[in-house]
Amino acid sequence: MTMKRVLAVAVAGVLLLAGLYAGILRHRSERTVSIGPDGAYPVGRATHELADRSRTDELAPRGGSPRMLSVWLWYPAAARAGSESAYAPGAWRGLHRYGWAQTGFERIRTGTYDEAPVAAGKFPIVVLLPGLGLAAPQYAAVAAGLASRGYLVAGVTPTYSAALTVLGSGAVRGSAAGSDLDGPHGERLATFWAADARFAAERVGVLLGDRADRARVTYVGHAFGGAAAIEACRTDVHCAGAASLDGAPVGPAVTLGLQHPLLLLGAGSGGATADPATHSLFAASGPSSWAYTVGGAEPLDFTDYAAYWLAAPVRRWLPVTGGDALPVVRDYLVAFLGTAVRGTTWQAPEAAGVRPAAMLSR
């Protein structure tokens, strides 16, 4: 066999294997994944674009415009009415980054319903802040799980800090100012996000009227969103508590602590609970503060990435295991919210691999 024929056979073999692998990826990416809630209430979902005209958007590439935010609302519904919510409608599909190496968004069953009627009752507000670069829709599993247990969950995507948000019908990308965490810029950005969170809480109270309990607000954030959630709680007279999911604090709370119920839940791979700033915050906070580490979890296990199918090369590259962290996060948040908002006695849920964070137990 000539060298030319050997090369031709080798190339054909490589192309055949590549085609087979692409076929496998496509087949796996088209399998249905469910992230539907399992609490007592059906869950409705609505999206809102809100303008905070009291602030100029200092993160925008061009100054002078009011702060515009996309807020997704998950809420207890009276019934499963209307159509099932698409996971990432319209331009939000741009959140899908890995082609056939990731579950197709059209294959994700949300178990929530667009514009379903709000259930009777008065429900506490939970404001949910994403990690830097991420967006509120990527926390749908946890958000809907909380809503099905009787909370109004407002997911805020901080414009120009997320890699993608959608305002109008178009995608808005991040800016340099929106992701600058160097030195004092990080504290300034956390303060700006905290203002977003407080504004969202206030607007939810207006949008839902007597269905929203504005006197009982909690702030939950992931990664850098955890720092902003703590700052929002520290500066909101209506705050009942804050939870940080693998986020290290910045700003005044580091030394002043938080005199409201506080939950710190860290990844097991040397997450934020090991940060010196977290130790300082915990030491200065009140007695109703708890810190735990989720053994084996990676930072993105606190997001919907833990629910997606991801091809092995992508999973190895991203900080995600795809294990059982999402139900653990939900259960710990449910227990914490019960204590912070409804006055139940704190009891850590039983979950394999979860332990009090080193040096942070009381």
Side-chain angles (χ1 to χ4, degrees), residues 59-239:
L59 305 183
R62 293 184 179 180
S65 58
R67 180 68 165 161
M68 297 292 299
L69 291 169
S70 171
V71 177
W72 285 38
L73 183 63
W74 292 265
Y75 56 90
R80 293 175 176 85
S83 58
E84 184 173 2
S85 310
Y87 181 72
W92 288 104
R93 286 188 56 82
L95 293 172
H96 194 278
R97 298 180 58 189
Y98 302 108
W100 290 348
Q102 176 184 356
T103 297
F105 281 174
E106 71 281 358
R107 299 296 182 180
I108 298 177
R109 299 295 304 274
T110 61
T112 64
Y113 298 86
D114 288 340
E115 307 299 341
V118 183
K122 193 168 190 175
F123 304 105
I125 298 170
V126 178
V127 179
L128 177 62
L129 293 166
L132 186 66
L134 298 171
Q138 295 171 294
Y139 296 80
V142 167
L146 296 180
S148 72
R149 289 162 173 80
Y151 297 94
L152 303 173
V153 182
V156 179
T157 299
T159 312
Y160 301 115
S161 291
L164 177 141
T165 189
V166 176
L167 295 172
S169 59
V172 178
R173 301 293 174 176
S175 68
S179 58
D180 188 355
L181 301 183
D182 291 339
H185 297 290
E187 182 175 339
R188 181 181 178 186
L189 189 60
T191 299
F192 201 71
W193 281 30
D196 289 345
R198 294 193 305 271
F199 172 71
E202 185 272 331
R203 294 308 300 168
V204 167
V206 172
L207 289 168
L208 294 182
D210 60 5
R211 292 289 188 267
D213 190 347
R214 182 66 181 93
R216 294 188 294 171
V217 180
T218 50
Y219 295 93
V220 177
H222 171 232
F224 186 73
I230 291 168
E231 180 62 15
C233 183
R234 190 185 70 84
T235 52
D236 185 353
V237 296
H238 299 295
C239 183

